[in-house]
Amino acid sequence: MKNILKSMVALLSILVAFTSCNNTSNQNAGALSGSAAEKVYVNPGEHDEFYAFISGGFSGQLSVYGLPSGRLFKVIPVFSQDAEKAYGYNEETKPMLNTSHGFVPWDDSHHPDISQTNGVIDGRWVFINGNNTPRIAKIDLSTFETTEIIEVPNSAGNHSSSFVTENTEYVVAGTRFSVPIPQKDMPIKDYKGNFKGALSFISVDPEHGHMDIKFQLIMPGFDYDLSHPGRGKSHGWFFFSTYNTEEASTLMEVNASQNDKDFIAAVNWKKIEEYVNNGGGTMMAANYAHNVYDESTHTATSTMKKEVLTVNPLDVPGAVYLMPTPKSPHGCDVDPTGEYIVGSGKLSANLTVHSFTKMLAAIENESFAGDAYGIPIIDFEASLAGVVEQPGLGPLHTEFDGKGNAYTTFFISSEVVKWKLGTWEVVDRQPCYYSVGHLMIPGGNSQKPFGKYVVAMNKITKDRYLPTGPEVTQSAQLYDISGDKMELLLDFPTVGEPHYAAGCPADLIKPRSKKLFKLEENNHPYATKNEADTKVVREGKDVHVYMTTIRSHFSPDNIEGIKVGDKVYFHITNLEQDYDVPHGVSMIGANTSELLIMPGQTETFVWEPKQVGVWPFYCTDFCSALHQEMQGYVRVSAANSSTPLRWSLGEDIE
Ligand code: K7E
Ligand code: CUA
C-alpha cells in the first residue's frame, strides 16, 4: 500500500508538471527568422529533398510528406477503408482487410520502417504495424499502395513493431499485451505466470517482399513496448523494451509502476533462426489471415493460415537475456554503430544507455543478477554504458544523426534534447509545441542517418493553428540539425495522430515511382482491353458489366434490362496509357464508395438497385475538358419485367 501511495504521488507530480508545461504559452512562436522561412521554402514546381512517411495513428493510414516543405502528397490507405481511393470498398481490395475476426476496416498504425540493404535504407518498401487487431502491412514504394498484410496470431496490441533488420531479413512484431497462448477462457486474475508475450519474426522474401511468420518467441507475460534491431556489430540481435514486469492486470498506472527497473530484452535472432532451421520449435495450431495484393490482376486474395512455429526461449540457451532498465522504459533505440541501446524510462529522471560490447562481456562472464522464468537477467552495472543525467522529464524516443549525437524527446517537459554518445553530455535543447512523442531523422533507424533535419511529432497543438472546434489537429515540427544548435523551422499539421515516421532522400524513391499500369500486363479476370469487347452478362441475378473508360466517355454508357433485386458488378478498365489520367466512377445509391481507376487498371464496385427508374452514373475525377460529359444511364425495371438486357455507346437502344 505504501508503495502504491508513493507511485501515486509520483504520478501526480508528473501530471502537474505536464499540465503546467502546457499552460506556458508559446513565447517562441513568433521567433522564426527569415532564414528559417527560406530553409523550408520549396519553389513552386520544385521538389522536396526528402520523403517522410508519417504514421496516421488512429486513422490507420500512412501519410506521405515532403521535407523540408511539410507538404502533404498522399494518404496511403493501409488498415482503414478509404472512400477517396475505394480501398477496402471495391471488390479488389476488400480482402486486404480480412482477418481471423472477419472484415476489420480500421486499425491504429504507429511505426513505419523502410526496408534496408546492408544497414542502409533502400527505399523499396515501407512496413507499418496495426496495433489493435495485430497486423503488419507492407507498402510498395513504386506504387505507394499497400500490397500485403499479415495478421499476427498470439499477439495483442501489436506495438513493438514493425522494425526491420539490416537486410530486411525480418520485419519484427512484438506484442504489447500479453495474453493466454493459445487463447482460452480463464480468470483474468490468473494473469501472472500464465499469460505470455509473443515476439514474432516475420521473414521478408528478398525479391518479392512476401512476408511469412518464421517463428514466434513465446516470452514471459510482460508488456513489450518498443523494439529496434541491432546493426553493424550487433546485427543478429533485436532489443525490446518491457514494462509491467510486475505482471499486473488491473490499475496498471499504479500496479505496473512498482518495479524500480523493468527490462530491455536482448534476443539473438540469428541463434534462434539457426535452431529453427535445424528443426527446432513447436508447430502450434493458429488462425490468421495473409492478404496479398497482386499487381498484375489488380486484385487481393486472403488466405487463412493454420499454424505457426513457436519457440520457448529456454530451449535455445544463449539466445535471450534481460537488461534491467529503470522505470517502465518506452523507447528502445539503437545507435548507427550498433553499440548503444538507449532505454527511455518514462518515469525515470535519467536516460539509461546499454553497451552491446559490455552486454556480450557480461554474458561471457555470467555477470547475472538472477533470472526471470529462467531467462538470465544481466547485472545492471555490467551492461551499462552510461547515463544521461536529468536531461528532461518523461523521455520517450531517441534518434541519431550519424555524427555522434542523439536526440531524445521528452513528453512531459515538451522538448527535444540533443546529447553526445559516449560522453552523455547534453549539448542543446529546443521546446516542442506540445508534448512530443516520437521524432524522426531520415535514415535515423539505420547505419546511415541523413542528419540534416529532425521531425518532432506532437500529441497536442493547443494554440498553434487556427482553432477547428474541440478537435484540433495533431502536428509535426521540423528542426534544422545541421549546425551545433537545433533550429525550429516549421510547424505542419498531420493526418491522425503521428507516432513514428520514416524518411529517406527523395532520389531513392522518385526514379522508381510508377507512372501507369501497362494494359497488356493487366491480368484482371474481368479486364476489358478495348471498347469492342465491352459487354453486359447476366448470370441469374448477378449482372457483370465489362466497362471501359477513356477521355471522355464510358463504354457502354447506356444499359437497359437491369432489374430490382439484381446484383450489378461494374468491372471498369481504364484504357488510358498516360501518366496522371485516372477516371472515377460513381453510381447513384450504390452502398459503397466511388472507384478511382488508374491508367491500365481494372476495378469493381457492386450496385444493388432498389428502385425502378433510369439512374445516372458519372466520372468523379476531372479528367478532361469534357469531363462533365462523362456520364451514362442505367435503366432499372421491375423484378418481374421482361425488358431485354441491352447496352450501347453512341446509338439509341431500340
Ligand atoms: Cu506513440 Cu511509438 Cu505507439 Cu511512443 S508510441 S509516442
Ligand atoms: Cu473521366 Cu472525368
Side-chain angles (χ1 to χ4, degrees):
M1 191 62 200
K2 214 170 169 193
N3 270 343
I4 292 185
L5 277 177
K6 249 198 211 159
S7 312
M8 288 208 125
V9 169
L11 283 170
L12 265 179
S13 54
I14 283 168
L15 278 177
V16 169
F18 166 68
T19 318
S20 60
C21 102
N22 279 300
N23 284 344
T24 59
S25 70
N26 51 330
Q27 300 103 333
N28 293 350
L32 287 193
S33 62
S35 78
E38 259 168 43
K39 283 178 181 171
V40 299
Y41 187 71
V42 176
N43 274 315
E46 287 184 6
H47 290 171
D48 280 281
E49 187 181 352
F50 293 95
Y51 279 103
F53 300 90
I54 302 186
S55 74
F58 45 67
S59 84
Q61 317 294 50
L62 180 68
S63 348
V64 187
Y65 292 82
L67 298 181
S69 72
R71 295 181 295 186
L72 172 66
F73 302 140
K74 182 171 187 170
V75 176
I76 302 171
V78 184
F79 295 112
S80 299
Q81 285 178 298
D82 180 349
E84 180 192 346
K85 302 174 186 73
Y87 181 83
Y89 285 97
N90 64 21
E91 296 306 296
E92 286 76 10
T93 57
K94 274 184 195 166
M96 290 301 284
L97 301 179
N98 189 42
T99 74
S100 63
H101 306 271
F103 183 73
V104 177
W106 171 88
D107 217 304
D108 180 16
S109 59
H110 282 218
H111 305 124
D113 202 14
I114 301 172
S115 54
Q116 299 185 15
T117 303
N118 298 323
V120 178
I121 282 182
D122 64 22
R124 297 211 285 166
W125 306 296
V126 55
F127 300 87
I128 191 165
N129 58 324
N131 263 290
N132 182 56
T133 304
R135 290 174 275 182
I136 298 290
K138 186 186 74 200
I139 292 122
D140 185 323
L141 289 180
S142 68
T143 57
F144 287 67
E145 284 177 1
T146 305
T147 53
E148 195 173 358
I149 294 181
I150 192 163
E151 192 179 358
V152 186
N154 296 329
S155 191
N158 173 36
H159 193 261
S160 39
S161 323
S162 51
F163 301 101
V164 301
T165 55
E166 73 174 26
N167 287 297
T168 321
E169 294 96 336
Y170 294 99
V171 51
V172 176
T175 196
R176 176 167 153 217
F177 309 121
S178 282
V179 289
I181 297 179
Q183 272 291 6
K184 63 175 176 197
D185 177 6
M186 65 176 280
I188 300 168
K189 70 169 176 48
D190 296 342
Y191 176 128
K192 194 167 186 161
N194 291 314
F195 286 25
K196 299 280 180 230
L199 308 179
S200 305
F201 285 73
I202 300 167
S203 60
V204 179
D205 179 282
E207 209 178 314
H208 306 103
H210 280 177
M211 298 189 286
D212 191 16
I213 301 178
K214 176 96 170 173
F215 61 87
Q216 289 191 313
L217 189 63
I218 307 299
M219 294 283 285
F222 312 148
D223 287 45
Y224 296 84
D225 203 12
L226 262 306
S227 68
H228 269 97
R231 56 178 60 99
K233 63 169 79 169
S234 54
H235 177 57
W237 290 77
F238 222 96
F239 303 95
F240 298 82
S241 58
T242 70
Y243 66 98
N244 192 27
T245 52
E246 296 85 351
E247 295 182 75
S249 58
T250 184
L251 193 60
M252 305 293 285
E253 58 178 329
V254 174
N255 293 331
S257 305
Q258 296 303 302
N259 290 348
D260 183 50
K261 296 187 180 68
D262 297 278
F263 302 120
I264 284 179
V267 175
N268 186 335
W269 58 260
K270 277 248 157 123
K271 201 165 206 148
I272 300 172
E273 180 185 62
E274 196 185 304
Y275 168 77
V276 161
N277 285 344
N278 289 325
T282 308
M283 202 55 93
M284 186 180 144
N287 188 35
Y288 58 102
H290 183 209
N291 309 329
V292 180
Y293 182 83
D294 181 336
E295 197 181 293
S296 113
T297 59
H298 301 283
T299 303
T301 48
S302 178
T303 313
M304 295 310 294
K305 296 210 151 194
K306 295 297 178 191
E307 53 182 22
V308 68
L309 186 64
T310 59
V311 174
N312 178 343
L314 301 188
D315 291 341
V316 197
V320 185
Y321 297 92
L322 300 171
M323 294 191 282
T325 305
K327 303 277 180 208
S328 303
H330 185 57
C332 174
D333 298 290
V334 179
D335 86 305
T337 68
E339 169 62 9
Y340 297 121
I341 303 115
V342 182
S344 300
K346 299 189 290 285
L347 306 177
S348 169
N350 302 326
L351 275 180
T352 306
V353 186
H354 297 283
S355 154
F356 179 70
T357 309
K358 289 181 79 173
M359 182 194 88
L360 290 185
I363 294 168
E364 180 78 29
N365 304 330
E366 301 193 354
S367 308
F368 299 139
D371 70 278
Y373 297 102
I375 300 172
I377 299 172
I378 292 174
D379 189 55
F380 176 61
E381 296 290 336
S383 65
L384 190 67
V387 168
V388 186
E389 303 271 1
Q390 308 211 333
L393 284 175
L396 290 184
H397 299 283
T398 300
E399 290 260 296
F400 308 90
D401 63 5
K403 301 169 206 158
N405 301 302
Y407 300 72
T408 300
T409 52
F410 291 84
F411 179 80
I412 296 166
S413 53
S414 210
E415 57 190 334
V416 179
V417 174
K418 176 182 177 181
W419 50 277
K420 271 198 164 353
L421 289 160
T423 69
W424 324 120
E425 64 187 307
V426 170
V427 292
D428 191 24
R429 59 177 69 239
Q430 281 293 325
C432 298
Y433 306 100
Y434 305 93
S435 301
V436 60
H438 275 273
L439 75 176
M440 182 275 282
I441 292 171
N445 173 39
S446 77
Q447 283 193 35
K448 192 183 160 199
F450 301 87
K452 188 169 178 185
Y453 302 110
V454 66
V455 179
M457 286 156 279
N458 303 315
K459 305 298 184 191
I460 293 171
T461 48
K462 301 254 186 211
D463 52 6
R464 297 295 283 185
Y465 300 99
L466 286 174
T468 51
E471 194 198 3
V472 288
T473 183
Q474 282 82 19
S475 174
Q477 292 188 290
L478 183 77
Y479 299 82
D480 180 345
I481 55 166
S482 58
D484 285 345
K485 298 286 174 193
M486 294 180 271
E487 184 190 3
L488 176 60
L489 300 179
L490 180 72
D491 281 21
F492 59 96
T494 60
V495 178
E497 180 188 348
H499 289 266
Y500 197 35
C504 73
D507 290 342
L508 263 184
I509 293 177
K510 207 160 100 173
R512 298 174 42 246
S513 188
K514 210 169 201 123
K515 292 197 156 54
L516 49 86
F517 299 106
K518 287 200 181 115
L519 205 50
E520 67 262 28
E521 291 171 7
N522 179 337
N523 293 316
H524 191 294
Y526 291 95
T528 312
K529 300 198 181 176
N530 60 67
E531 281 188 5
D533 296 337
T534 57
K535 60 186 173 184
V536 181
V537 178
R538 176 178 285 284
E539 292 167 8
K541 283 192 172 303
D542 288 352
V543 179
H544 292 274
V545 178
Y546 294 72
M547 187 179 269
T548 60
T549 61
I550 197 154
R551 280 161 290 181
S552 298
H553 59 266
F554 294 98
S555 177
D557 65 359
N558 281 195
I559 299 171
E560 296 195 351
I562 304 297
K563 297 173 193 174
V564 170
D566 282 347
K567 200 167 180 184
V568 187
Y569 292 83
F570 286 86
H571 308 285
I572 305 180
T573 303
N574 182 355
L575 298 178
E576 305 282 357
Q577 291 287 272
D578 285 336
Y579 186 33
D580 200 17
V581 191
H583 291 285
V585 63
S586 66
M587 182 75 222
I588 187 170
N591 302 117
T592 186
S593 74
E594 63 149 2
L595 299 180
L596 189 65
I597 312 152
M598 296 303 130
Q601 193 178 26
T602 305
E603 289 190 32
T604 304
F605 77 94
V606 176
W607 181 50
E608 296 179 71
K610 293 172 189 74
Q611 298 172 36
V612 165
V614 179
W615 303 106
F617 58 94
Y618 70 95
C619 174
T620 49
D621 187 285
F622 211 108
C623 50
S624 72
L626 294 171
H627 154 80
Q628 212 65 348
E629 281 70 17
M630 197 163 169
Q631 63 187 59
Y633 284 104
V634 179
R635 174 180 167 189
V636 176
S637 305
N640 58 1
S641 81
S642 54
T643 314
L645 190 65
R646 286 186 297 197
W647 62 94
S648 67
L649 167 72
E651 58 192 76
D652 290 332
I653 293 175
E654 290 303 316

